[in-house]
Amino acid sequence: MLISNIIDKDIKSVPLKEIIERNKSQGELSKKRKLFAQGELHVISAPTGIGKSVLSGGLGWATAGGKESEHYKLIKNILGDDWDTTKQPVEYIDGENGEDELYDRYGRANMDCPDNFTVLLPGTLSNIDELEAYITRRAQENKSKGDYTIFIDQPRCYKGYYSHQRMQEFYVALKNIISDYRKGGYRLTIFIIEFLEADTFCKPVSCENIAGTKELKRKAHTIVALCPCRLGEEYCFLKVLKCRSYNPGKEVTVLKRNTDNGVFFHFAGKMQEEDALPLPARKPTASAASPVFGKDTLDTSCASVVPSVHELYEETTGAVKKVSCSSKKGKKVTLEILQRMKQLHNQKIPQQKIANILNLSRKTVNKYLQQINQGTCAWDLSSC
């Protein structure tokens, strides 16, 4: 077959002048959107249980609610003047959190959820091919209607994720879908929620710690990481790992999880990354290493031993306030606790309620349930 017969006859180059003219209306707006620019591919990463879904949900609510919403003010307070957005439909493709988890996180406080924030629940799509086809269809349906934002939480939940070649193709396809959307005069923004891998979080993380293919790291406009913070389990810090048009400076943003009105992060202050990093775990004592403890227990103590006092900024006034912290010794998770945890989970009990029943943190419950579901738990719990 002649090479010339393979090429689509409709393919043709576009005059540069035409490209400039049809994007002129967006040129001035793009200068204001530096951290999470609209019409781009972004990555939010974190280790298990730190809060990548919480941050993503907050961004989604703020984008759907627009500038008049309380959620917009909340995110603006976290990200500062380098984040801006227009009110638009937001679709959250959730491969991980079911209805019970979403209700427990947002519904119990009777929150005013934006009507244009929609969720595609786990199990609706099964593999990367279906995910790509779905996003392609939704982009075609909305490209002439206005700006549109999609969150994908997380690609690893779909079959085909562990094929390096397939994921390279997937991320290239997402960039092409975003580019094609602009032809309608509007912008499609896609957030990828990914896993952050590190042997220890006592050292600064980089883009190399982001799970997934190098293609994702190359194609993404912005990559941020949520990292454990030495201030305690309810804190984390936000670090910008990559942004083509934004200088994050030397400080990181410290966030505090708040559950007064749904589960969201609030701005707690700025600090040097070296002061926010967890301290190395102390070496186990002889008694902790004994067979009595080593065989049937897992240590959930946080590696971050909290320092005595840190200075943070007051969330509302901007004034400096003192936050006194003390170290917290982790509870041991025994085989019996894991068995009970699985039984409660099988009864559709929300993770936060399981944590309350077992006197554990929700982060710990989430971590071990993921291990149980993935078959990577230290013990065989198949009989539970």
Side-chain angles (χ1 to χ4, degrees):
M1 179 182 292
L2 294 175
I3 295 297
S4 59
N5 294 334
I6 300 175
I7 303 299
D8 189 333
K9 300 299 184 181
D10 294 330
I11 294 178
K12 61 180 181 179
S13 60
V14 181
L16 176 59
K17 185 175 182 179
E18 180 181 331
I19 294 174
I20 294 173
E21 285 299 320
R22 72 186 183 199
N23 286 276
K24 186 177 293 184
S25 61
Q26 301 178 27
E28 292 302 317
L29 291 174
S30 63
K31 293 180 180 179
K32 301 176 183 178
R33 298 180 174 91
K34 298 179 181 179
L35 185 55
F36 288 121
Q38 293 195 70
E40 290 286 357
L41 179 66
H42 307 299
V43 178
I44 297 174
S45 63
T48 300
I50 291 297
K52 49 187 177 293
S53 297
V54 174
L55 178 62
S56 304
L59 277 167
W61 281 54
T63 302
K67 293 180 172 60
E68 302 303 318
S69 69
E70 290 298 319
H71 308 294
Y72 180 89
K73 298 174 185 176
L74 184 67
I75 295 299
K76 191 80 168 179
N77 199 20
I78 292 173
L79 300 180
D81 293 333
D82 291 301
W83 181 79
D84 198 2
T85 186
T86 58
K87 182 177 180 179
Q88 60 195 267
V90 174
E91 183 158 5
Y92 202 97
I93 302 176
D94 200 329
E96 190 172 41
N97 300 303
E99 289 192 31
D100 58 342
E101 178 69 16
L102 293 172
Y103 179 77
D104 191 56
R105 182 177 297 169
Y106 303 117
R108 296 188 183 280
N110 294 319
M111 301 180 63
D112 184 17
C113 179
D115 293 334
N116 55 342
F117 185 98
T118 61
V119 178
L120 190 68
L121 292 169
T124 311
L125 305 173
S126 62
N127 56 55
I128 293 297
D129 292 345
E130 292 180 1
L131 179 61
E132 182 180 324
Y134 179 79
I135 294 171
T136 301
R137 177 169 66 82
R138 295 294 289 143
Q140 288 296 325
E141 292 171 348
N142 288 278
K143 67 183 295 185
S144 61
K145 298 178 181 179
D147 291 346
Y148 183 47
T149 294
I150 296 175
F151 289 83
I152 306 173
D153 185 6
Q154 310 173 30
R156 65 177 50 239
C157 296
Y158 302 94
K159 294 178 182 177
Y161 173 82
Y162 293 100
S163 169
H164 181 80
Q165 181 178 349
R166 181 65 188 95
M167 293 311 294
Q168 281 188 313
E169 296 169 350
F170 176 64
Y171 295 126
V172 170
L174 291 186
K175 290 291 284 189
N176 290 336
I177 294 170
I178 290 172
S179 178
D180 181 70
Y181 199 93
R182 292 180 71 98
K183 295 177 182 178
Y186 299 103
R187 293 162 295 188
L188 171 64
T189 308
I190 298 180
F191 286 86
I192 302 290
I193 317 304
E194 257 299 358
F195 185 67
L196 188 64
E197 300 173 325
D199 295 333
T200 173
F201 289 99
C202 303
K203 299 179 181 179
V205 298
S206 69
C207 285
E208 296 303 314
N209 298 112
I210 306 294
T213 67
K214 291 183 179 180
E215 196 67 33
L216 172 61
K217 300 158 196 176
R218 285 196 294 264
K219 295 296 184 184
H221 181 276
T222 302
I223 301 176
V224 299
L226 279 175
C227 303
C229 181
R230 73 173 69 176
L231 295 180
E233 285 190 356
E234 59 186 331
Y235 291 91
C236 64
F237 68 84
L238 182 69
K239 180 180 180 181
V240 179
L241 300 181
K242 173 188 175 182
C243 188
R244 295 173 184 167
S245 54
Y246 175 72
N247 181 9
K250 297 182 179 180
E251 292 185 317
V252 296
T253 300
V254 180
L255 307 179
K256 183 178 181 181
R257 191 189 301 259
N258 187 293
T259 59
D260 293 340
N261 188 20
V263 184
F264 291 101
F265 281 123
H266 290 253
F267 175 81
K270 295 273 191 177
M271 60 194 309
Q272 296 292 324
E273 183 180 7
E274 61 184 20
D275 295 326
L277 289 169
L279 296 176
R282 296 175 181 175
K283 294 182 179 180
T285 61
S287 60
S290 65
V292 175
F293 291 95
K295 182 178 180 181
D296 289 331
T297 61
L298 297 175
D299 190 358
T300 65
S301 59
C302 182
S304 57
V305 180
V306 183
S308 57
V309 176
H310 278 279
E311 289 186 346
L312 292 177
Y313 296 100
E314 181 67 47
E315 180 177 343
T316 55
T317 65
V320 175
K321 73 172 186 177
K322 297 284 186 177
V323 179
S324 178
C325 305
S326 58
S327 61
K328 180 180 179 181
K329 184 178 180 181
K331 180 180 178 179
K332 299 289 184 180
V333 176
T334 64
L335 174 59
E336 289 74 19
I337 289 177
L338 278 180
Q339 291 172 333
R340 178 62 173 153
M341 186 186 299
K342 185 181 179 184
Q343 290 169 352
L344 292 170
H345 179 66
N346 291 340
Q347 297 170 16
K348 308 299 183 183
I349 305 297
Q351 289 187 10
Q352 185 59 61
K353 186 172 289 187
I354 295 175
N356 296 339
I357 293 172
L358 300 179
N359 194 27
L360 298 169
S361 70
R362 183 188 169 279
K363 182 175 74 172
T364 298
V365 171
N366 179 274
K367 179 177 72 173
Y368 285 113
L369 284 178
Q370 285 202 28
Q371 291 180 6
I372 292 171
N373 292 335
Q374 295 170 3
T376 58
C377 185
W379 293 295
D380 180 13
L381 303 178
S382 57
S383 60
C384 297

